[in-house]
Amino acid sequence: MNKSRKKSVVLFAYIFVILGIWMMLSVHCQAAETNNDEKQPQTIRVGSFEDTFNYVDKNGVRRGYGYELMQALSGYTGWKFEYVKCDWSNCFDKLENGEIDIMGDISYTDERAQKMLFSDEPMGEEKYYLYANLAAANISVSDLTTLNGKRIGMLSESIATTQFCEWETRHGLHTEHVTITSDEDAAAKIASREIDGFISVESPQWQKYGLSAITSFGSSDVYFVISKSRPDLKEALDNAMRRIAHDKPFYQDDLYQRYLSA
């Protein structure tokens, strides 16, 4: 009887040890999986309509004020970015439909604020200019009436377009408005003589096309906008922007001088 009891005790102890080891291994594996998940960077889909703030150069390298700022912010958020090319007419739709998570270089309006989340702080300021090839379009900087009847390219429903229309009214000018979808589209239409000029943000890039800035007619703070379905991204983005403003107070000024100042 004693031998039987001893065998039972040994068997029970053996089973207990095996169960203990199994539980320890299970907890360790779960912890390892959790740590691996934490180490995996979160992929954020960024809408890019290829403007001065975010573009791919002739060598296939992504550059721009917005791109550099996003890369700096990723150091605080740990995000990895997937850029989704879109144009002005469908980027907003992609954001509302959840096809992209974040977009930059967007001016605030009450109407937009109902459909998307705006970052607490602006990502910068953009200044709007009217560009044209003065000789080809027969436009004089000293005589704005030479703009009358000229075909001017502009994005539909943009703040720059709204401010240009207000500027035209103040100066009693009347131009023909032609819709463009991007800076690339504007450059192509200028080259094919479909338009005589266009409105865009301040940028040194237009000099290489032989274009001159005729006048500045407005400006606006621009923000990051986030899909309403991702308030978690807005919180992380706002925190990162506050931290970079604290750590590098002149960072946005440096980016402006590098990419936008003309």
Side-chain angles (χ1 to χ4, degrees):
M1 196 70 178
N2 289 336
K3 289 183 179 180
S4 178
R5 286 179 179 176
K6 286 182 180 179
K7 287 182 180 179
S8 297
V9 170
V10 171
L11 180 61
F12 177 78
Y14 178 75
I15 294 173
F16 180 79
V17 170
I18 294 298
L19 286 173
I21 293 173
W22 177 80
M23 291 177 67
M24 290 175 64
L25 289 174
S26 178
V27 170
H28 177 75
C29 290
Q30 289 178 0
E33 289 176 2
T34 301
N35 289 336
N36 287 336
D37 289 342
E38 290 176 353
K39 291 178 181 178
Q40 292 297 321
Q42 187 176 10
T43 299
I44 306 301
R45 298 162 300 173
V46 182
S48 175
F49 43 89
E50 306 298 316
D51 66 351
T52 312
F53 275 77
N54 199 330
Y55 63 94
V56 177
D57 67 16
K58 61 182 180 181
N59 298 316
V61 179
R62 187 164 290 280
R63 299 186 183 278
Y65 179 110
Y67 170 75
E68 293 283 357
L69 181 55
M70 288 292 278
Q71 291 301 113
L73 291 170
S74 71
Y76 295 90
T77 61
W79 291 342
K80 177 182 177 182
F81 300 116
E82 174 190 339
Y83 287 92
V84 179
K85 188 172 182 178
C86 49
D87 60 41
W88 185 254
S89 63
N90 65 20
C91 264
F92 288 110
D93 292 336
K94 287 182 181 292
L95 188 73
E96 290 180 49
N97 296 337
E99 296 177 57
I100 57 177
D101 303 306
I102 289 178
M103 217 169 37
D105 186 23
I106 304 298
S107 300
Y108 179 90
T109 69
D110 291 336
E111 181 181 358
R112 290 173 183 171
Q114 295 177 6
K115 301 176 182 179
M116 59 200 72
L117 304 172
F118 278 77
S119 58
D120 286 349
E121 300 296 328
M123 62 179 286
E125 180 190 31
E126 58 183 16
K127 299 175 183 177
Y128 306 129
Y129 282 79
L130 172 60
Y131 292 93
N133 184 321
L134 301 183
N138 193 26
I139 296 172
S140 171
V141 176
S142 59
D143 183 6
L144 292 178
T145 61
T146 57
L147 289 170
N148 284 326
K150 294 297 189 292
R151 299 161 299 175
I152 306 300
M154 58 193 70
L155 297 170
S156 62
E157 299 181 6
S158 72
I159 297 298
T161 295
T162 299
Q163 292 191 9
F164 179 76
C165 293
E166 294 170 352
W167 177 82
E168 269 193 313
T169 300
R170 289 197 304 271
H171 289 82
L173 302 174
H174 303 280
T175 64
E176 180 184 341
H177 298 176
V178 179
T179 299
I180 57 174
T181 58
S182 64
D183 285 348
E184 292 177 347
D185 186 33
K189 282 183 166 60
I190 281 283
S192 62
R193 301 292 179 88
E194 294 178 62
I195 57 176
D196 303 300
F198 61 93
I199 60 176
S200 183
V201 298
E202 179 183 19
S203 172
Q205 69 167 319
W206 300 118
Q207 296 174 3
K208 65 184 178 184
Y209 294 101
L211 302 174
S212 301
I214 297 174
T215 184
S216 172
F217 58 85
S219 64
S220 174
D221 284 339
V222 288
Y223 297 80
F224 287 112
V225 289
I226 304 100
S227 170
K228 274 205 164 184
S229 64
R230 298 302 308 272
D232 57 312
L233 299 186
K234 171 176 161 53
E235 182 179 0
L237 179 69
D238 287 336
N239 289 336
M241 290 184 71
R242 282 190 285 268
R243 290 178 64 188
I244 201 170
H246 177 270
D247 296 343
K248 303 176 182 179
F250 301 107
Y251 185 67
Q252 291 187 15
D253 292 335
D254 292 340
L255 289 180
Y256 189 92
Q257 289 298 320
R258 192 188 316 167
Y259 286 106
L260 301 179
S261 178

